[in-house]
Amino acid sequence: MAISAALPAGILFPEELLHSDWFAVLATFVAINTLMYGALTIAKILPKLHPGDWIRTRNQRSETRSIHPDAPAVNEATDFVNTRSRQGPGSG
């Protein structure tokens, strides 16, 4: 290992500690934990997707029943979900 001989090791900890088995397990745990938190952070940043809204279901009207003829067809379940998401948690 020419690289390990060239790099300074053991600045904070003794070199024997850095090459121990339990330190390798701890470093692996920290690496996996960091990847999981990174993935969760990216998932929180992205907008929420509702794939159920993309597919027409049996309980969705194909024609509008509004008094306004140009109004879009209304799905009661989708409207209920949209109303709840606009109100936010704990508002009613």
Side-chain angles (χ1 to χ4, degrees):
M1 290 285 207
I3 295 174
S4 64
L7 294 175
I11 294 175
L12 294 176
F13 299 113
E15 189 171 350
E16 296 82 27
L17 180 73
L18 297 177
H19 293 290
S20 64
D21 290 338
W22 69 269
F23 193 83
V25 171
L26 179 66
T28 303
F29 174 77
V30 170
I32 292 171
N33 195 22
T34 302
L35 287 175
M36 289 176 57
Y37 274 102
L40 287 173
T41 301
I42 291 172
K44 285 286 189 177
I45 291 172
L46 295 175
K48 289 184 180 181
L49 298 177
H50 301 282
D53 293 346
W54 303 340
I55 301 170
R56 178 174 288 252
T57 58
R58 289 177 39 184
N59 61 354
Q60 189 173 10
R61 295 183 184 127
S62 61
E63 297 177 0
T64 180
R65 294 177 71 187
S66 174
I67 59 173
H68 304 288
D70 295 335
V74 177
N75 182 357
E76 294 176 7
T78 304
D79 284 347
F80 177 73
V81 171
N82 290 340
T83 303
R84 288 186 63 195
S85 65
R86 273 186 243 132
Q87 290 175 350
S91 62

